[in-house]
Amino acid sequence: MRSHIFSLVFLLFSVAQGLNPNCETRDRGSNLQVFHVYSPCSPFRPSRSLSWEEDVLQTQAKDQARLQYLSSLVAKKSVVPIASGRQIVQSPTYIVRANIGTPPQTLLMAMDTSNDAAWIPCTGCIGCSSTVFDNAKSTTFQTLGCQAAQCNQVPNPSCDATANSCVFNMTYGGSTIAANLSQDTITLATDSVPSYTFGCLQKTTGNSVPPQGLLGLGRGPLSLLSQTQDLYQSTFSYCLPNFRSSNFSGSLRLGPVGQPLKIKYTPLLKNPRRPSLYFVNLTGILVGSKAVDIPPSAIAFNPTTGSGTIIDSGTVFTRLVEPVYASVRDEFRRRVKVTNVTSLGGFDTCYNVPIVAPTITLMFTGMNVTLPQDNLLIHSTAGSITCLAMASAPDNVNSVLNVIANMQQQNHRILFDVPNSRLGVAREPCS
Ligand SMILES: *[C@@H]1O[C@H](CO)[C@@H](O)[C@H](O)[C@H]1NC(C)=O
Ligand SMILES: *[C@@H]1O[C@H](CO)[C@@H](O)[C@H](O)[C@H]1NC(C)=O
Ligand SMILES: *[C@@H]1O[C@H](CO)[C@@H](O)[C@H](O)[C@H]1NC(C)=O
Ligand SMILES: *[C@@H]1O[C@H](CO)[C@@H](O)[C@H](O)[C@H]1NC(C)=O
Ligand SMILES: *[C@@H]1O[C@H](CO)[C@@H](O)[C@H](O)[C@H]1NC(C)=O
Ligand SMILES: *[C@@H]1O[C@H](CO)[C@@H](O)[C@H](O)[C@H]1NC(C)=O
């Protein structure tokens, strides 16, 4: 009965949002559908259809901002380098449905494994999009006072003494946000989490902020996982759909129940310099069957500097630090054997004839992941250009962070098993 009411609420919401009514929710139990922002179910789909080249170039520009953001996530440091020159547009890549408050209000929140606290646009927010959470209409909403323990867990907290309200500010991509620390019930699929702590957005600048909020799935104290220890035991997995497929929905499965048993694992590492991020130990890369030359320092996990390799849901194309990328690219080109190599934006290995590409295997401690062509190549709509969908980490990021991005994770189940400190990967066609 309750789920019927939710479906009805969502249907009404869908119509109000101009969503495709066929996108009625299939969220059940602890399983949520995951949509790409370009999915027919997403209201964030660009109204004007971009050409393939424009699309690639925009996505790369967003990734650039994302990398700067990730690099800035250094403990006790909140200075974020904002790229100069062109305007940064960073938008979330994958969204899930969340119901906030009592009665529930539905928002399509960005899923972000590299962020801890959730934030939700609230009534009266300056600079937010038109779809906001009307906190005054929720009987379970409350703001947290300056003495609340959680007030020490947000970035740059300050106290509004007159309102006895804990407020915090942070930068995200090219944006800044200001929020009141608040609590309300969040319902994900059919699981309700009472008194969930999040930032109620009061003000945003720039256009990097996900329009209907962000669901933080990072490792820190305010992340969804940390707040639902009893329910989900810091365990979740997702399968990200390919945005070019006709069936756009993947899944986010929260909690230990129903997780795959047959899956390869590598240890999950915690880096005290970047405590929100999920680190793994990348030990080498094979192009075809050849292990390419990589200076060990370029991939070393270092808890003092914060360097290493992370798995991220919000970056689109894998970024490897320069010497690593150069070795992979050179061997890739050697194996493709087509001499006319062109570039497109930040991709330097593109071809305008059909190619036979080698596989690329990412070797981690205890686990090899061989990426098939679908995870390695992007093809123009017309089929005339094919690019290796990886790049070197941008120069202006002065820290050594390799990012395994979402295009390389598509159609794989990625399992975050924090209690056992391990990350699982298995092929799973979900689009
Ligand atoms: C946080 O943001 C608010 C609202 O924009 C602003 O008034 C305040 O000065 C900011 N505080 C800090 C520490 O930046
Ligand atoms: C958020 O905090 C500001 C003070 O910084 C206060 O004026 C405003 O009413 C608060 N909003 C909510 C929803 O509590
Ligand atoms: C699309 O995915 C759903 C599961 O999310 C599945 O039930 C359905 O059969 C798929 N449809 C097609 C056409 O593959
Ligand atoms: C990562 O792998 C390398 C190579 O196998 C090993 O020497 C190193 O100890 C590993 N680091 C961690 C933190 O597991
Ligand atoms: C190489 O690629 C460029 C750019 O697409 C094209 O203009 C040129 O004709 C190609 N040259 C050959 C020899 O195929
Ligand atoms: C990964 O591949 C390399 C090279 O083929 C091999 O030596 C190694 O044993 C493999 N590791 C695992 C965990 O299968």
Side-chain angles (χ1 to χ4, degrees):
M1 182 60 202
R2 216 159 80 116
S3 71
H4 284 129
I5 293 172
F6 282 158
S7 304
L8 182 64
V9 167
F10 184 74
L11 197 64
L12 295 175
F13 169 83
S14 308
V15 172
Q17 286 296 295
L19 298 193
N20 181 344
N22 295 331
C23 299
E24 194 193 333
T25 178
R26 291 198 298 264
D27 296 348
R28 292 287 179 274
S30 306
N31 286 285
L32 285 88
Q33 279 174 283
V34 173
F35 297 101
H36 194 278
V37 284
Y38 290 175
S39 147
C41 295
S42 165
F44 314 127
R45 198 179 159 86
S47 48
R48 181 178 70 90
S49 69
L50 301 174
S51 75
W52 181 75
E53 282 81 1
E54 284 175 308
D55 183 10
V56 166
L57 296 175
Q58 271 209 8
T59 308
Q60 281 179 334
K62 291 173 193 170
D63 266 4
Q64 202 90 350
R66 175 85 186 168
L67 257 82
Q68 288 179 329
Y69 169 71
L70 293 173
S71 307
S72 77
L73 294 178
V74 170
K76 308 277 179 255
K77 215 175 137 196
S78 62
V79 184
V80 170
I82 293 180
S84 55
R86 101 183 92 161
Q87 180 159 25
I88 293 172
V89 188
Q90 184 202 31
S91 56
T93 323
Y94 289 99
I95 50 179
V96 295
R97 238 180 235 116
N99 292 296
I100 324 288
T102 315
Q105 299 176 37
T106 304
L107 291 175
L108 294 168
M109 297 175 75
M111 200 180 95
D112 192 340
T113 53
S114 298
N115 238 276
D116 294 332
W119 7 284
I120 291 168
C122 284
T123 312
C125 171
I126 299 162
C128 290
S129 76
S130 55
T131 302
V132 295
F133 168 58
D134 189 348
N135 50 284
K137 288 207 176 120
S138 173
T139 56
T140 41
F141 177 82
Q142 57 173 9
T143 51
L144 289 181
C146 306
Q147 273 68 49
Q150 293 94 327
C151 200
N152 294 317
Q153 295 167 345
V154 288
N156 314 312
S158 58
C159 180
D160 184 306
T162 42
N164 183 29
S165 181
C166 173
V167 296
F168 69 96
N169 294 11
M170 64 179 277
T171 48
Y172 183 78
S175 286
T176 61
I177 66 163
N180 294 16
L181 198 58
S182 309
Q183 287 188 330
D184 206 337
T185 302
I186 186 170
T187 304
L188 297 167
T190 43
D191 294 335
S192 269
V193 181
S195 305
Y196 177 62
T197 303
F198 60 92
C200 193
L201 293 178
Q202 300 297 306
K203 188 177 175 186
T204 68
T205 63
N207 43 18
S208 297
V209 175
Q212 296 186 20
L214 176 141
L215 190 64
L217 299 174
R219 309 193 69 162
L222 278 184
S223 90
L224 174 72
L225 286 313
S226 303
Q227 292 192 53
T228 54
Q229 279 300 331
D230 293 346
L231 188 59
Y232 299 137
Q233 293 153 43
S234 286
T235 306
F236 69 100
S237 73
Y238 56 66
C239 183
L240 304 176
N242 180 322
F243 71 100
R244 294 217 170 271
S245 79
S246 59
N247 198 353
F248 282 97
S249 91
S251 69
L252 170 65
R253 190 175 298 150
L254 297 162
V257 176
Q259 298 298 355
L261 301 171
K262 206 171 159 267
I263 193 164
K264 290 183 286 191
Y265 289 105
T266 188
L268 205 48
L269 306 174
K270 201 171 167 96
N271 196 319
R273 282 285 282 172
R274 292 191 164 108
S276 305
L277 306 181
Y278 292 98
F279 280 83
V280 287
N281 195 21
L282 180 68
T283 56
I285 300 179
L286 304 177
V287 176
S289 55
K290 176 155 197 299
V292 300
D293 271 343
I294 292 176
S297 64
I299 52 172
F301 174 79
N302 186 330
T304 310
T305 61
S307 67
T309 302
I310 65 161
I311 296 272
D312 180 41
S313 64
T315 309
V316 182
F317 302 115
T318 288
R319 297 290 190 136
L320 301 169
V321 298
E322 178 58 32
V324 180
Y325 177 69
S327 293
V328 169
R329 175 200 59 202
D330 292 349
E331 184 60 22
F332 183 91
R333 287 183 182 175
R334 217 174 57 77
R335 296 207 167 219
V336 169
K337 295 193 182 86
V338 171
T339 49
N340 198 5
V341 180
T342 62
S343 66
L344 175 69
F347 292 128
D348 64 5
T349 301
C350 300
Y351 300 91
N352 46 28
V353 293
I355 60 162
V356 178
T359 56
I360 292 185
T361 301
L362 302 174
M363 296 193 283
F364 302 97
T365 303
M367 171 179 90
N368 289 348
V369 177
T370 298
L371 299 173
Q373 300 216 348
D374 278 355
N375 292 98
L376 291 178
L377 303 177
I378 51 168
H379 306 279
S380 65
T381 336
S384 57
I385 303 180
T386 300
C387 297
L388 172 62
M390 293 187 183
S392 59
D395 300 340
N396 47 358
V397 174
N398 57 356
S399 72
V400 196
L401 202 54
N402 296 291
V403 180
I404 310 298
N406 65 41
M407 162 137 190
Q408 278 66 43
Q409 298 173 43
Q410 285 169 7
N411 288 318
H412 287 78
R413 172 94 13 210
I414 311 289
L415 171 60
F416 296 77
D417 179 355
V418 177
N420 297 306
S421 296
R422 55 188 191 170
L423 178 111
V425 178
R427 285 281 288 158
E428 179 183 318
C430 61
S431 53

